[in-house]
Amino acid sequence: VSTQSTGDQPQQPMAFQCTRAQLGLIAVNVVIYWIGFIELMVAVFSWPYMRDVHHPIPFVGMGLGAATMILPTMGFWATLLKKNRLIKMYFYTALMLVVAQLVYGTYCLIYRSEVSDYIFEHYQDLIEHMPTDVCNCGTSCASSAAVIAQCKHDMNDQLESTLLSLGIMSIITALFVLGGVLASLKLLKWFRLTTSILQGGAISNCVLAFALAFIGLYSGTGGGWDGASALEGDIWGLFVSATAGILMTITSIVGFTSSKQRQTGLLHVTKGLHLVSLALLLAAGIVCYYQADNIDGKCKDNFDSGDRIRSDQGGGFCDLQDLAGSHTNCNDNVATCYDCATTGSHTECTAKTAYSQLCLSTTECCSKLVGQSVLPSLWASGCLCFYLLATVVVAFLATHHKIEEIVAEEALADKVKAEETREEDSVDVGVKTTGTSAAESTKHKTRKKKTNEGRL
């Protein structure tokens, strides 16, 4: 609060005055800040348990929590300073954060169903850094079959609850941030947001679209796993999602340019591209989820038969990591370690009794293979495709309104120009009429003068 005085007038206090909408946005952002802090802490405390399961999961959670804590700062400044541009930035930044939070939360909840397979296949990697409150069994964790089984069970319970906490917390955060998006809409009319969505929003959409394209191309071409060549016919949903990401990037660039230059022709092209993007995202999401449900079976059909994916893996890839220091190299000694049976076109190899704690079966090794990169990528791409539909719909509506706005402005400009032309024509006619009357008056005076002279 500050004061001012004029002459002898007493000083009057000055205070900030906020509308209900502004107070509402401030209140929502206070809550968002603390929700983001809680999410950050949940991700931090999950790291000791998740560090060897899926390295990006805790770090992505920390990043989203930190971003959620930073977002309210923009909302506070925009509200207190009454800067519409900052409120617009807040709107599409919050919208992008909502999508990211929902994708992350959904992914964590889906991955819960697969974490038991990961524990079974990477036991020694997990037990090395797992906190003792989960498995406090010392050296017997790597030597006793009964203790190993119990430890796997305890780790499974802990990791499932951790992933559940991360997923639910992220979805709750997304709902509160969505509240901030809706609160900001009360301070801005829709016509004020169209330009921001087509320009600033295009940048945020490009970030998400690039992530979608990268995930699809990286895993689809074999990044992080061996077997893409054999299963490429069963993971093409990744390439559809990558195409959708690339198309969204192009659409965002065209939308940004057409809005900046106010070209209705390009804006109509942008609307068409938005419709194609919607169809492609929907198709990619459905295909990715469908193929994620079936990829494990496709791998088993081609692991020891068909394209023989086993031959693409390292010698120790299918080793069961239950016992410390065991290096059996099961893939190099299939005849020695496995009993294989062929049913139709499918060959299933199971470890012989002597190697039951040393080698993974065909089914278990396939689960390990697709769980490295391709299965998580199919899930992530599917989630991202479905949630990006909302941003594309918003961009489509903004484009449609922008076209109407430009057409209305051009029509008004034409109407004003026509009015000005009519007024100029009226002035010209008036000048001509006045000029003609003056000439006739002059002629009349001249004739009258000559008549008077003749009389004289």
Side-chain angles (χ1 to χ4, degrees), residues 225-227 303 309-315 317-318 331 369 372:
W225 69 299
D226 296 314
F303 200 76
I309 299 174
R310 186 188 291 272
S311 61
D312 294 332
Q313 314 308 314
F317 182 79
C318 290
N331 282 350
L369 174 63
Q372 284 184 314

Side-chain angles (χ1 to χ4, degrees), residues 48 66 105 127 171 203 239 275 292 306:
I127 197 63
I171 292 174
I203 298 173
F239 296 105
L275 292 176

Side-chain angles (χ1 to χ4, degrees), residues 239-256:
F239 296 105
V240 178
S241 65
T243 303
I246 294 170
L247 180 61
M248 275 193 65
T249 304
I250 295 172
T251 305
S252 297
I253 294 172
V254 174
F256 182 95

Side-chain angles (χ1 to χ4, degrees), residues 320-339:
L320 180 57
Q321 298 181 5
D322 276 2
L323 304 177
S326 64
H327 300 285
T328 312
N329 292 328
C330 302
N331 282 350
D332 292 338
N333 303 284
V334 176
T336 304
C337 302
Y338 291 99
D339 289 323

Side-chain angles (χ1 to χ4, degrees), residues 77-96:
W77 279 106
T79 306
L80 295 176
L81 299 179
K82 300 180 180 180
K83 297 290 186 180
N84 283 337
R85 180 172 295 181
L86 275 177
I87 297 176
K88 292 173 185 177
M89 291 177 62
Y90 175 89
F91 171 81
Y92 54 73
T93 303
L95 190 61
M96 181 178 69

Side-chain angles (χ1 to χ4, degrees), residues 369-411:
L369 174 63
V370 298
Q372 284 184 314
S373 174
V374 64
L375 188 58
S377 296
L378 285 168
W379 285 335
S381 296
C383 293
L384 199 50
C385 284
F386 283 126
Y387 289 127
L388 280 175
L389 289 172
T391 65
V392 176
V393 169
V394 172
F396 175 82
L397 295 175
T399 305
H400 179 75
H401 188 275
K402 190 67 177 179
I403 293 173
E404 291 182 342
E405 176 188 322
I406 294 174
V407 170
E409 288 179 358
E410 290 177 349

Side-chain angles (χ1 to χ4, degrees), residues 20 107 237 249 267 294 306 337 342 348 385 393 414 420 455:
R20 288 184 179 180
Y107 179 83
T249 304
L267 285 169
N294 292 275
C337 302
T342 301
E348 177 73 23
C385 284
V393 169
D414 292 340
E420 290 177 348
R455 288 176 179 177

Side-chain angles (χ1 to χ4, degrees), residues 49 90 104 129 135 169 215 297 320 323 328 421 423 431 438:
Y49 305 101
Y90 175 89
Y104 177 75
H129 299 113
C135 287
M169 194 64 229
I215 291 171
L320 180 57
L323 304 177
T328 312
T421 302
E423 289 178 2
V431 170

